[in-house]
Every structure is written in C-alpha cells, then in structure tokens.
Amino acid sequence: MLFNDDLKSKMYSYHGTIRVLVQVLWAYLLCGWTFGSELTFELPDNAKQCFYEDITIGTKCTLEFQVVTGGHYDVDCRLEDADGTVLYKEMKKQYDSFTFTAAKNGTYKFCFSNEFSTFTHKTVYFDFQVGEDPPLFPNENRVTALTQMESACVSIHEALKSVIDYQTHFRLREAQGRSRAEDLNTRVAFWSIGEALILLVVSISQVVLLRSFFSDRKTTTTRVGS
C-alpha cells in the first residue's frame, strides 16, 4: 500500500511537470503568434517603405530599429497614429527605440525612408512590440502561490527572453561589423590597385627619363662651299 502511494505521488508529480512544460510551450507560441513584428528588409535608394499595425487603445507599444548595412548606416523614421498625428519622427538615425501607449483605436503606420540617398540602398531591421507578454500560467489562480516547478519555469522563461534579446543584438552587431569589414576590404583592394598603377607609371617614366639622359646625340656637320 505504501508502494502504491509512492507510485501515485510520483505519477502526479510527473503529470504536473508535463502540464507545466506544455503551458510554457503554449505561452511561447502565443507570444510568437500574437505579439510583435520583427523584420529585416532592404530599402533601395530614393525609396520609402511603410508598415501598418492595428492597435487598441491603452496598449503599450515599442518600436526599435537599426540600419544594418548601407551608406552611413542612417535612415529616416516616422510613426503616425490612426488619425495621422505624428508620434515619432527622426532624420538620418542609425538606430533608436521609441515606446508609447496607444491613445486611440485604429491602424498605426510607421515608415522608413531612404529618399535622401541617391545611389546607396540600406538594410534595415525593426522590431515592433505590441502589448505585453501573456502570463505564463493563464489558467492559474493568482491568489495562490506558485509551486517550485512553476517558479522555476517563470525564471527560465524570463532568462530565455533575455537570451533572445542578446542574440538579436549580437546578430545585428555581427552583420553590421561584417558589412563594415567587407566595405573596408573593398576600399583597401582598390587603393592597392591604384598604388600599383601609379608605381608602374612612375617606374616607366623614370626609365624613359634616364634613357634620354644617356642616349647618344647625333651631331651634324655642314660644309660651306667657297
């Protein structure tokens, strides 16, 4: 009988662990489906790209962007509410973050412009977060305290979100650094070719000049008849 009680307690603990893990996975799926838009896109020269998001009143939103490659790594950004009121506007920014709370329902628009550039296209990354993350345990009674397993899952959930943010940050830095390195490598290659051509021209000029110094000059004599 004691064996059966121990077995039952272990089975309850096992089923509780599975239930908690399923809730964690479901919360991550809800976060990925419902909240936020993350995108990396190319913005050609003399071009403007706009995005739209339906937002309800009282929702807290955050717009974060960064220019990954192209030119001086800058872009114009503009954010408007449902009535066309400008909430945020910056010119030639490399990166920035803006947080606001929606004052009205409707479709909000944010645009990235590269119209000031005549021949350089840009690669832009943005992350538009709408609302806050749903609770990890939506069906749990918040009056009662969390179990040890649930507390551990909440801690892991927060740690994983931090890891995702750090991974995104370092991925963008790596892409930007690689772009700068490739651009610098191209400039060094062209500079080396130019130096080689200049050295060749100078060498040929020196050889021609030295040969002109040591060449035999022909002398001509004229006879004057009496």
Side-chain angles (χ1 to χ4, degrees):
M1 191 69 180
L2 179 62
F3 175 77
N4 292 333
D5 292 338
D6 292 339
L7 182 61
K8 288 181 180 180
S9 62
K10 290 182 180 179
M11 290 295 294
Y12 288 151
S13 176
Y14 175 77
H15 286 299
T17 303
I18 295 297
R19 178 172 57 86
V20 169
L21 293 178
V22 170
Q23 288 178 338
V24 171
L25 293 176
W26 180 249
Y28 272 108
L29 290 176
L30 288 178
C31 290
W33 288 346
T34 309
F35 297 89
S37 300
E38 186 177 2
L39 182 64
T40 302
F41 67 98
E42 288 194 2
L43 186 62
D45 53 285
N46 295 315
K48 181 178 180 181
Q49 185 71 41
C50 295
F51 302 89
Y52 302 87
E53 184 76 23
D54 293 330
I55 305 175
T56 58
I57 186 172
T59 304
K60 184 179 180 180
C61 307
T62 300
L63 173 62
E64 181 179 359
F65 68 92
Q66 179 177 346
V67 181
V68 182
T69 62
H72 296 288
Y73 302 90
D74 53 356
V75 72
D76 297 341
C77 182
R78 181 187 181 97
L79 173 64
E80 299 178 359
D81 63 5
D83 295 334
T85 304
V86 178
L87 302 178
Y88 172 83
K89 181 180 180 182
E90 289 292 340
M91 309 293 290
K92 296 184 178 181
K93 295 286 290 185
Q94 295 183 351
Y95 59 89
D96 202 2
S97 178
F98 177 70
T99 302
F100 67 98
T101 301
K104 58 191 69 176
N105 298 323
T107 302
Y108 286 65
K109 179 177 72 172
F110 57 98
C111 300
F112 299 97
S113 175
N114 193 30
E115 295 175 334
F116 59 88
S117 180
T118 56
F119 58 88
T120 304
H121 75 280
K122 311 289 177 61
T123 301
V124 182
Y125 162 85
F126 75 85
D127 184 12
F128 191 62
Q129 296 291 333
V130 180
E132 299 179 351
D133 292 338
L136 191 59
F137 303 101
N139 296 326
E140 295 290 334
N141 185 6
R142 285 297 147 191
V143 178
T144 60
L146 295 176
T147 64
Q148 184 177 1
M149 179 64 69
E150 291 172 346
S151 300
C153 289
V154 171
S155 300
I156 294 174
H157 175 70
E158 297 297 329
L160 287 177
K161 289 198 299 182
S162 299
V163 168
I164 292 174
D165 292 337
Y166 277 115
Q167 284 181 336
T168 302
H169 175 69
F170 285 112
R171 186 174 70 248
L172 292 175
R173 289 189 61 183
E174 185 273 335
Q176 191 176 58
R178 184 176 66 251
S179 175
R180 291 181 184 270
E182 291 176 352
D183 183 53
L184 181 60
N185 181 57
T186 303
R187 294 184 180 183
V188 170
F190 282 126
W191 181 259
S192 301
I193 293 174
E195 283 186 333
L197 293 176
I198 293 174
L199 182 62
L200 180 62
V201 171
V202 171
S203 301
I204 294 175
S205 301
Q206 288 179 346
V207 170
V208 172
L209 183 61
L210 289 175
R211 289 187 61 183
S212 66
F213 287 159
F214 295 99
S215 61
D216 295 333
R217 295 183 178 180
K218 296 181 178 180
T219 58
T220 58
T221 58
T222 56
R223 296 181 180 180
V224 179
S226 54

